[in-house]
Amino acid sequence: MSTTVYGEGIPRGSFARVSETFTVPCPELLFLELASVMDRAALELLGYELCGTFVRDATNPRTGGVVHEVAPLTNVAKIKGYVRSCRRVKGRERALAALENVRDNAWSAMEALVALVLVRPLEDDGFGIRNIELNAQELIGRELRPWVTNKARVPDISLGDLPVGLNYDGYGHLDLSSIDVERLEKDELKAALARVREKYVDDLRRNRELLASGRIVLPIVAEDLMELGGLDSVVLEAVIAAEQLAGASGETGAATRRALEQPHATRRQRLIWSLYPWAGGISLGNY
């Protein structure tokens, strides 16, 4: 256990008193403090959590449960501004460097992992695709609007330079495993299956509507992250799809193809395994 005493160098309001005896740092100071002790990739994932709408288990952040649909604690711009205002504080430069790979508004931990691998530079085992947006609303084409219920759709990850989006559909996406077929009464089972069907149909319609509006959405599944080279295949498919639709993929396509070369691909897979919420692989410290 260690203690840090700040005499000066940090802004006012950096701590919140939650009881008469207990005080916690603001999210921006927390990120700065952890910059000097956490692995860089794990720190960047923490940034996605602080700036996103999900919360990991504090006692077991890697494999514990995740709470969704919470308000973001902060955003990338606020953390950057705070860190830059701090003088002679340990971890300052490391925190600023890590923030270059963080994006606002991740809705899930797995979505954050995929986004991080996309934006990390090639030398840091990523794809070097810097221009992405998370969960940005995209308006449906004007001609189609009278025919659809949703006037806007939200891909998990939009590639800003290409007419392509990515959606992570994990094991819990349709939540089939939660349906207790043996215990539920006939009407309850029918209702549960109807809810799954409704979600499935909405996913298909979302993808059609976005494609008609100029963006093709490719799904990513858990197996794509766990299997050797699985995410590489998906990102290459996204680039090829963009080339078929738009005729070219520009620097994003070039960066992707460089990233597929060895030894980059092998190192990137090891990074994914080290961040994935499972008991195997090499852990990046207590994360």
Side-chain angles (χ1 to χ4, degrees):
M1 181 176 178
S2 62
T3 301
T4 302
V5 177
Y6 294 103
E8 60 177 7
I10 64 172
R12 289 182 175 274
S14 293
F15 296 90
R17 185 174 294 279
V18 296
S19 71
E20 291 185 0
T21 58
F22 191 53
T23 301
V24 297
C26 67
E28 297 79 14
L29 177 56
L30 174 66
F31 187 86
L32 175 56
E33 288 185 314
L34 291 176
S36 60
V37 297
M38 288 187 80
D39 176 273
R40 169 77 175 270
L43 177 69
E44 290 163 357
L45 271 189
L46 171 66
Y48 279 88
E49 182 178 350
L50 294 175
C51 301
T53 65
F54 68 95
V55 177
R56 292 177 179 269
D57 186 334
T59 61
N60 185 12
R62 189 179 187 195
T63 59
V66 179
V67 177
H68 299 96
E69 299 183 7
V70 300
L73 291 173
T74 184
N75 59 54
V76 174
K78 285 183 180 179
I79 302 178
K80 281 185 179 179
Y82 180 92
V83 172
R84 285 171 178 156
S85 72
C86 294
R87 305 185 305 274
R88 299 184 298 276
V89 176
K90 185 179 180 182
R92 182 179 183 274
E93 297 306 319
R94 202 163 186 268
L96 290 173
L99 286 168
E100 293 302 311
N101 296 330
V102 180
R103 300 293 182 270
D104 290 327
N105 204 34
W107 287 4
S108 74
M110 299 305 298
E111 177 185 303
L113 192 162
V114 173
L116 175 59
V117 176
L118 289 177
V119 303
R120 280 196 131 210
L122 183 62
E123 59 270 23
D124 290 329
D125 306 329
F127 287 98
I129 303 175
R130 308 295 290 173
N131 185 9
I132 69 170
E133 282 190 283
L134 304 184
N135 298 295
Q137 278 199 349
E138 300 198 14
L139 292 177
I140 298 304
R142 185 182 301 275
E143 183 180 5
L144 190 59
R145 288 180 203 172
W147 300 90
V148 300
T149 302
N150 296 296
K151 308 309 178 188
R153 288 293 196 172
V154 183
D156 289 351
I157 301 172
S158 299
L159 306 188
D161 297 326
L162 301 177
V164 179
L166 301 171
N167 273 356
Y168 180 79
D169 296 339
Y171 292 114
H173 177 62
L174 296 178
D175 207 18
L176 288 170
S177 61
S178 70
I179 301 176
D180 192 337
V181 177
E182 295 181 355
R183 185 185 63 82
L184 293 178
E185 299 292 337
K186 182 178 179 180
D187 288 345
E188 293 175 322
L189 178 59
K190 185 177 180 180
L193 293 174
R195 288 192 295 270
V196 172
R197 174 69 183 177
E198 182 181 10
K199 172 62 177 170
Y200 173 69
V201 169
D202 186 63
D203 285 351
L204 295 179
R205 286 175 172 168
R206 173 203 60 205
N207 292 348
R208 290 201 319 246
E209 291 160 12
L210 284 169
L211 179 57
S213 301
R215 187 176 297 279
I216 185 171
V217 176
L218 304 183
I220 300 175
V221 294
E223 288 81 357
D224 291 325
L225 299 180
M226 290 299 293
E227 294 172 4
L228 183 63
L231 185 59
D232 291 5
S233 297
V234 175
V235 178
L236 178 59
E237 288 162 2
V239 166
I240 294 173
E243 291 168 349
Q244 293 293 325
L245 288 171
S249 58
E251 179 52 35
T252 297
T256 296
R257 290 182 169 94
R258 287 194 297 271
L260 296 177
E261 298 172 358
Q262 293 295 352
H264 306 302
T266 297
R267 290 203 301 261
R268 182 169 49 256
Q269 187 63 61
R270 288 173 180 164
L271 173 66
I272 293 170
W273 284 336
S274 72
L275 296 172
Y276 192 86
W278 65 316
I282 300 172
S283 175
L284 301 179
N286 187 22
Y287 190 81

